[in-house]
Amino acid sequence: MSKALPSHAQTVIIGGGSIGTNTAYHLTKLGHTDVVILEQGQLTSGTTWHAAGLIVAGLLKTQAECEIYTHGRDLYANLEAETGLPTGFRDVGYLQIATNDERMHEMRRVAPFMRRFGINCHEIGVTEAKDLFPIADMSNVKGAFYIPEDGRANPVDLTMSLAKGARMGGARFFEGVRVTEILTTNGTATGVQTQDGQTITAENVVICGGMWSRQLGEKHGVNLPLQAAEHYYLITEAIPDLPRDLPVLEDPSTYTYYREEVGGMMLGLFEPGAAAWKLDGIPDDFEFGEIEPDWDRVGPDLEKAYSRVPDTMNYGVKKLFCGPESFTPDLAPLVGPTPEIRNLWVACGMNSLGILNGAGTGMVLAHWIVDGLAPLDVTGINVNRFTKSEATPAFRRDRTPELLGKLFGQHFHNESPKTARDVKRSILHDRLAATGAYFSEGHGWEAPDWFAPSPAQAKIDEYSWFRQNWWDWHAEEHRAAREDVVLMDMSSMSCFLVQGRDAVKLMSRLSCNEVDVASGRVVYTAWVNEAGGFEADLTVARLADDKFMVVVGENSHGHTEMRMRRHIGADEFITITDVTAGRAQINVHGPKARELLTRVTGADLSNEAFPFMSAQYIDVGYAHVLAYRVTFIGELGWELHVPSTQAVQTYDLLMQAGLDLGVRNAGMQTLNSLRLEKAYRDFGIDVDNTDNPIAAGLGFAVKLDKPGGFIGRDALAAIKAQGTPKTRMLQFLLKDPEPLLYGNELIFLNGVEVGYIQVGGYGHSLGGAVGIGFAEHDAPLTAEIVNAGHWEIDVAGVRYEATASLKPLYDPTMEKVRK
């Protein structure tokens, strides 16, 4: 019998698990009360019901992750008092152990950062760890970290309590209602249709369908790359005298978590070599379902898990549970407005952390829907970060087995996925491999990370948080860029041609800088939102009156395209063409760049004929090339945008012509170290949607008085009017040449914690580790305070003296790039 549904709601949420109920709850808290939740089975019947209910922080390495986590932990701890329904939350504590020095170093790096955001993660000794979890064998443990406020909850009770809280705010829940179609008009979601033909019109539709989300999105052309995988935990029979309030124990060396469960021990596996489940699609009627366990496959993993708590082998197995959980290619959720359909939102792909991060994710999405802006950094979780390649069956089949172990195991700063590689390869890939390139993966691209003397040496001997075997080769690349000339394959950079009668209107509307310039000018600019927060940093080149080239990092490809398309006016004529795959980008940089290029082109490359921040079409051998005179490394140089059909020939010509100049290839590690010496910013890495160009030191690229203004102009004007900011982005150089910076290291000014490093590298020209980060002061952070202050950076619990600067420490007057 059909359920009578309302004909309209302000927001319809598809899915009644942890994410759907959390989103509804948080919408009502913002006064957005006309919310309908449609669940195809019963609430929690997808994956929520069999979740372990861990409320534990893990190792969180972004501010957004910390804020999402702490919001949920604090909410869950107090929700029962609000709704009157139990949640099962108990702050039994959370214990992480390390069995090697590298893991100890990683935890020592991350713990101070987590403490900054209210997560009381502190180091304890092995004896104390043993006292906290006496059933564990700690004989090979090097050390441990403990968070006493963390714990566990009952997933079903918690979700029901959230649902009651949402109902108290006006939300309506309907079970046994399957959405079969998302209704659209002119590319905008207008409601949903259910399996029995009923429709609900709505201003917003939200997909919170867990592991079903991909196939629902796919039906409507929406790209949601997630895949269900088998997920196991084992519960033993009751163990006499096992403490009920035993903390949750996590052990990366066995890929297992351990906690008490109804008097027995739960061993939860996140094993390497996991198994994808139902590549073709999840059955609609899979409700409170289980998967038949594969004892043969997980047997060795269980044996390893038992090794940490060997006494539990004396007790029987009460249950080996296998149920599906959905995972994304980069182990971050899919959240936000979909680029394909307006007013269609999504929150799914929680990577087995749907209880843990459900509240924070629901809070973020609710604010995004109601306020139009996300309340924290969403660059790492935005649904528009993926292409359709990552949603293909082959990709999901190949990548998924790696994901569980990668989520739970030991981590290193430069470790790339090992599976589902070669999604995108530059046409120069084989040439670079033959010269010794070691490739890392980023957003599907195979990028040369560094170059070894020969292909046989292009491998990482051992991952480490310290100097690895490629260190000296990378240092040679860095020096070559500063002293001679290097080629960098930057074909992964995203390029869009924006053309048409109204192209200049769109570019001007989006850009903080003045882009209504003469043809042949290249403009560096930020794009910001209505609150003044970054949406992109990029170059916009005017190639003709009605033609622009937008070049942006590969991490911003989908977001940049979506932002452009969403801001075309109804009466404007503009075409946007993604030309990334049709060209290669070869960067020629270094003091000898002009000398090298002059040997292969008839173009005049002098300062007068080809000034800095300009673009021209030039000949390079047989090729007709669009050349930009710009830099992201702080040296003289050009970006060559070469047709793909001529890229290999152009690369060969440049290498041959530069042999006596010392020309060599350089990779991403060197790009990072060079640009950090110049303190160049990078959206999605150093700055995000919660930062603004004024505080980030990019005020020079903001033209508040340009005709017509731009999106976010008033917000930036108000920020500018406040005078010298109290929070500013600074560059730092460690005085001790030995320690390394990667990001998240705390910054101290005169002994007071004032911020953290956003990203770090090694300044081979400056003689030490460099990083950039925001420092917060209780008064305007003037140049005098910066220069006179005593600055220190915490690296794995040790403070090192540092030099801080508002200007780049390398070539602050920009002489090298302009000569």
Side-chain angles (χ1 to χ4, degrees), residues 54 56 90 92-98 124-141 143-147 150-152 234 236 239-251 254 256-261 263-268 304-313 408:
L54 306 184
V56 297
R90 291 188 285 133
V92 296
Y94 170 48
L95 179 65
Q96 297 181 77
I97 57 175
I124 63 174
V126 176
T127 299
E128 187 176 353
K130 179 67 174 177
D131 291 341
L132 286 167
F133 209 96
I135 198 172
D137 177 4
M138 301 281 187
S139 59
N140 68 337
V141 173
F145 280 75
Y146 182 58
I147 305 175
D150 284 5
R152 50 186 288 190
L234 181 147
T236 72
I239 300 173
D241 301 321
L242 188 69
R244 182 172 181 267
D245 287 334
L246 204 65
V248 177
L249 170 66
E250 180 180 318
D251 179 12
T254 64
T256 308
Y257 66 82
Y258 307 82
R259 73 163 175 81
E260 181 272 343
E261 175 67 13
M265 179 65 62
M266 175 185 284
L267 290 68
K304 184 178 291 187
Y306 268 120
S307 69
R308 182 60 61 201
V309 284
D311 287 349
T312 60
M313 296 186 70
F408 223 68

Side-chain angles (χ1 to χ4, degrees), residues 97-116:
I97 57 175
T99 58
N100 59 66
D101 292 336
E102 290 284 352
R103 178 66 174 184
M104 282 299 297
H105 184 79
E106 180 188 13
M107 293 197 296
R108 284 170 177 159
R109 278 183 169 274
V110 177
F113 176 78
M114 293 172 62
R115 289 197 295 270
R116 174 176 173 80

Side-chain angles (χ1 to χ4, degrees), residues 299-353:
D301 299 300
L302 286 170
E303 183 177 350
K304 184 178 291 187
Y306 268 120
S307 69
R308 182 60 61 201
V309 284
D311 287 349
T312 60
M313 296 186 70
N314 298 323
Y315 302 90
V317 175
K318 183 177 182 179
K319 176 77 171 179
L320 176 61
F321 176 84
C322 180
E325 295 276 2
S326 60
F327 295 83
T328 64
D330 61 358
L331 290 172
L334 307 174
V335 184
T338 66
E340 298 89 352
I341 300 176
R342 293 174 183 264
N343 296 350
L344 179 62
W345 305 78
V346 64
C348 59
M350 301 306 292
N351 303 288
S352 196
L353 303 178

Side-chain angles (χ1 to χ4, degrees), residues 514-577:
E514 179 60 83
V515 295
D516 190 1
V517 294
S519 295
R521 284 279 306 279
V522 180
V523 178
Y524 170 74
T525 186
W527 292 356
V528 301
N529 55 43
E530 290 78 3
F534 278 97
E535 295 293 338
D537 83 308
L538 67 169
T539 60
V540 175
R542 192 169 200 174
L543 305 181
D545 286 350
D546 61 351
K547 184 177 182 180
F548 293 82
M549 176 81 90
V550 170
V551 180
V552 67
E554 69 277 6
N555 63 326
S556 299
H557 185 112
H559 186 67
T560 301
E561 182 174 9
M562 178 180 175
R563 188 157 184 84
M564 288 190 291
R565 295 192 184 280
R566 289 287 169 93
H567 285 87
I568 297 175
D571 58 347
E572 292 180 338
F573 180 79
I574 300 165
T575 62
I576 298 170
T577 308

Side-chain angles (χ1 to χ4, degrees), residues 13 19-29 32 35 37 166 171 173:
I13 298 173
I19 311 306
T21 53
N22 262 301
T23 302
Y25 173 89
H26 285 88
L27 281 170
T28 63
K29 289 298 182 182
H32 191 98
V35 179
I37 300 87
F173 287 75

